[in-house]
Every structure is written in structure tokens, then in C-alpha cells.
Amino acid sequence: MATSTPVPATPSSTPATTHATGPARSRGATTRRTRVVVPGRKALACAALLVVLGSFMPWVDTALGAVSGIVGAGLWTFYAAWVGIAGAIISGTGRLRIAAGHALVFGAIALGLVAWQVVHVLQLIGVGGWQPGVGLVFVVGGGVLACVAGVRMLRVSAA
């Protein structure tokens, strides 16, 4: 029987093996996927969150009470927010022009519906007797943020 003295294993001297057929893969040796930072991706996700929250909140406050956004145009802005969420997800795959299109369409829908709602209330009630609710402000902020995110994505994709 032959005996040998064990030699301390160092990373450069002997590779570790799990079995007789090949070297083991440690977590450090595997290929890591790096995330690409996409300008506008987080902004688009935050814009969608603002619009989703604002769609359910009161849009118009009157002396008789608050009118929820989901009763009127808030339902459509809620649906449009899912277009924004899809754009935020798509932007991670490298399809920035498509994601920018999602962001701009989402922002235009949100801002357009808010403008329509304000014009409609002005025609019904006039200038006095109402004030915009927090939901209306959230949806306007989300629409502006979505448009800004779309423009950022277009600038990156053009470069």
C-alpha cells in the first residue's frame, strides 16, 4: 500500500472535482448576467404605479362629496397603466423603441383622459364649486413621468 502526504489544495494548483468526469463549477466561476441600466425604465414603472393608484382615488371634490376616478375616465387610465407596465418590462430586453412607444402612448392616454375629464367638469359645473382631487393629480403626474421616460428611452435608442 502506497501512502502519500496530502498537499494543500490551492486554486491555481488543482481544480476541484465533483466526480471523476470533470471540474466542479463554483458560484464564482459561473458566467454572471449583468443588468443593463435603461434610462427611463424605473420612471415608467413609477408612472404606471402613480396612475394605478390615482385611478381609484377621488378625481373631483365638490360640496356634495368626492367623485371617484374609477366611475369615469379612471377606469381607462387604469387599463392604460398596464401598457406602461408592459413597456417597463419590455425595456429590460433591449427593445427600447418599442418600450418608448409604450411609454408615450400610455402618457398620452393618461394626459388626454385627464384633460377630457377637466373639460367635461368645466362644462357641467363651471369654474366654481369643485376642485381637482388627489387622484387627478396622481394621474397627471404619472402621465408626465411616462412621457419623460419615453423621451429618455428614445434618446438612448437613437444613440
Side-chain angles (χ1 to χ4, degrees):
M1 226 178 5
T3 60
S4 63
T5 59
V7 177
T10 61
S12 61
S13 65
T14 58
T17 57
T18 55
H19 49 82
T21 60
R25 290 187 171 238
S26 66
R27 289 193 184 263
T30 60
T31 306
R32 292 187 120 185
R33 288 182 64 180
T34 58
R35 290 189 181 186
V36 177
V37 176
V38 178
R41 183 178 186 186
K42 288 183 182 179
L44 183 55
C46 288
L49 180 66
L50 277 173
V51 171
V52 165
L53 291 176
S55 295
F56 293 99
M57 292 181 177
W59 277 32
V60 176
D61 289 326
T62 64
L64 299 176
V67 179
S68 177
I70 207 70
V71 175
L75 184 63
W76 294 101
T77 58
F78 174 74
Y79 294 151
W82 291 100
V83 174
I85 291 170
I89 292 170
I90 288 173
S91 67
T93 63
R95 297 183 174 108
L96 288 180
R97 286 188 186 264
I98 296 171
H102 276 78
L104 292 173
V105 166
F106 162 52
I109 290 172
L111 292 174
L113 285 172
V114 166
W116 171 79
Q117 185 73 41
V118 168
V119 168
H120 183 69
V121 170
L122 284 174
Q123 288 176 348
L124 289 177
I125 301 174
V127 179
W130 71 279
Q131 65 181 4
V134 69
L136 198 68
V137 175
F138 269 37
V139 173
V140 167
V144 169
L145 191 58
C147 289
V148 168
V151 169
R152 281 184 187 171
M153 288 180 192
L154 278 178
R155 285 185 183 166
V156 169
S157 68

